[in-house]
């Protein structure tokens, strides 16, 4: 395998840096929940930690922050609803990776990520014994804060040492209803739920379709016209605060008639460079 140093076209980087958006807002995200196949948990974790997190994500242009999360067996058992359109069965997908992409740079990033993943696959640097349960690039729609202007912003969320994260996936009744569902979440539901809770903020995204030339092991995104993805950033371990704060989110949405909760799933952060929690996935 070549080391890649020849033909780097270094002069072009100066031109790329000189034009286009270069703010710091997380205008887009990659959210990917993956299940390593039974017996491959350790090997998958080492591949992702030691290679793919960097070569397949953080080394790419316009990807400004990233963090990995894990759901041990006891966390998987807290998930609901039992009949989920996202995870079948609902406990599937024990690793979650979240990445921010610079606002206005989605198209530029996608060109690079498709090309680099084709190269990684060709060079035998893609771990095949895994299943993508929920993988989508997403556009940022809103961030709601518990404490107003105090505390970390969403640009800090993947670097701040949050103790947990809850992934919530909500489907509107139809494409025409997603805007109304988003407004209810942003203006009414989330401010009420955040008040006095262990969650410092919630970021809300909507999925975008993957390009036609994506890798074949990643399925096309479902619910592009109807779905919203929420990330709740917690200052406590989700097991400590689950009851009362994160139970009943499905009922709250159902009561509005605006949509249906398809997944509520708690995670804790991985410890980079280690195999901590791998022996607690099954």
């Amino acid at each position: 395998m070549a080391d890649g140093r020849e033909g780097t076209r270094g002069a072009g980087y100066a031109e790329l840096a000189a034009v286009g958006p270069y703010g710091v807002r997380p205008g887009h995200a990659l959210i990917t929940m993956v299940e390593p196949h039974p017996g491959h948990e350790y090997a998958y974790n080492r591949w992702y930690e030691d290679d793919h997190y960097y070569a397949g994500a953080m080394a790419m242009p316009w990807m400004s922050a990233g963090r990995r999360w894990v759901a041990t067996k006891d966390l998987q058992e807290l998930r609901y609803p039992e009949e989920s359109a996202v995870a079948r069965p609902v406990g599937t997908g024990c690793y979650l990776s979240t990445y921010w992409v610079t606002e206005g740079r989605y198209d530029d990033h996608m060109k690079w990520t498709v090309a680099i993943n084709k190269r990684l696959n060709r060079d035998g640097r893609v771990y095949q014994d895994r299943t993508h349960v929920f993988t989508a690039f997403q556009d940022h729609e809103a961030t709601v804060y518990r404490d107003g202007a105090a505390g970390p912003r969403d640009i800090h969320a993947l670097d701040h040492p949050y103790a947990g994260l809850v992934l919530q996936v909500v489907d509107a009744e139809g494409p025409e209803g997603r805007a109304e569902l988003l407004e209810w979440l942003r203006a009414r539901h989330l401010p009420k739920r955040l008040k006095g809770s262990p969650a410092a903020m919630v970021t809300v995204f909507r999925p975008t379709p993957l390009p036609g030339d994506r890798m074949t092991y990643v399925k096309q995104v479902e619910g592009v016209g109807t779905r919203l993805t929420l990330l709740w950033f917690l200052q406590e371990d989700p097991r400590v605060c689950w009851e009362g704060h994160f139970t009943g989110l499905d009922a709250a949405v159902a009561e509005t008639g605006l949509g249906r909760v398809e997944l509520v799933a708690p995670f804790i952060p991985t410890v980079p460079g280690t195999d901590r929690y791998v022996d607690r996935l099954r």
Side-chain angles (χ1 to χ4, degrees):
M1 184 173 64
D3 63 11
R5 284 179 292 184
E6 55 284 312
T8 58
R9 303 178 186 174
Y13 287 92
E15 297 176 16
L16 292 171
V19 297
Y22 68 120
V24 298
R25 292 190 67 248
H28 320 275
L30 170 59
I31 301 171
T32 174
M33 186 169 69
V34 172
E35 179 75 8
H37 295 171
H40 292 266
E41 295 85 356
Y42 282 93
Y44 167 79
N45 189 57
R46 288 274 44 85
W47 164 75
Y48 205 103
E49 290 274 334
D50 298 341
D51 189 11
H52 198 63
Y53 177 82
Y54 301 101
M58 293 306 299
M60 297 191 200
W62 310 113
M63 187 163 269
S64 60
R67 196 164 191 188
R68 289 188 77 213
W69 313 83
V70 60
T72 52
K73 183 62 175 177
D74 56 340
L75 287 165
Q76 295 167 34
E77 291 173 350
L78 295 176
R79 294 182 182 183
Y80 65 91
E82 184 175 351
E83 297 296 324
S84 168
V86 175
R88 305 180 183 93
V90 70
T92 308
C94 54
Y95 281 104
L96 179 72
S97 297
T98 52
Y99 303 96
W100 291 167
V101 177
T102 302
E103 184 175 34
R105 289 294 190 171
Y106 176 80
D107 290 341
D108 296 336
H109 177 78
M110 286 303 300
K111 291 174 184 176
W112 188 287
T113 192
V114 169
I116 200 66
N117 277 285
K118 287 183 177 180
R119 182 180 180 185
L120 290 169
N121 194 63
R122 184 189 68 222
D123 290 347
R125 288 173 62 182
V126 174
Y127 199 86
Q128 300 295 343
D129 289 295
R130 57 175 174 149
T131 298
H132 280 265
V133 179
F134 178 69
T135 294
F137 281 87
Q138 314 223 8
D139 288 341
H140 179 258
E141 286 286 0
T143 300
V144 181
Y145 297 100
R146 181 190 61 199
D147 302 322
R153 306 288 86 192
D154 50 16
I155 62 171
H156 310 120
L158 302 184
D159 297 309
H160 187 80
Y162 285 113
L165 177 140
V166 174
L167 168 69
Q168 180 183 3
V169 181
V170 186
D171 280 343
E173 289 299 323
E176 66 286 347
R178 185 167 65 179
E180 186 178 359
L181 174 61
L182 173 63
E183 181 59 19
W184 174 77
L185 288 166
R186 185 194 64 77
R188 298 178 58 188
H189 177 67
L190 294 178
K192 180 180 177 181
R193 280 278 184 168
L194 282 170
K195 188 176 181 180
S197 86
M201 73 177 82
V202 181
T203 57
V204 185
F205 295 89
R206 59 176 174 84
T208 60
L210 289 168
D213 55 353
R214 71 191 185 281
M215 301 309 296
T216 56
Y217 51 77
V218 182
K219 66 181 181 179
Q220 186 53 272
V221 178
E222 299 173 345
V224 167
T226 58
R227 185 160 288 174
L228 293 171
T229 305
L230 288 70
L231 301 177
W232 300 68
F233 291 91
L234 313 186
Q235 294 173 315
E236 296 179 6
D237 187 307
R239 288 166 289 207
V240 174
C241 57
W242 192 251
E243 292 294 330
H245 287 293
F246 295 101
T247 54
L249 292 177
D250 54 345
V253 173
E255 287 172 3
T256 68
L258 297 174
R260 167 184 163 84
V261 168
E262 293 291 357
L263 183 66
V264 180
F267 293 84
I268 56 175
T270 62
V271 181
T274 77
D275 289 320
R276 190 175 297 182
Y277 307 120
V278 177
D279 60 346
R280 295 166 56 188
L281 301 179
R282 309 300 183 194

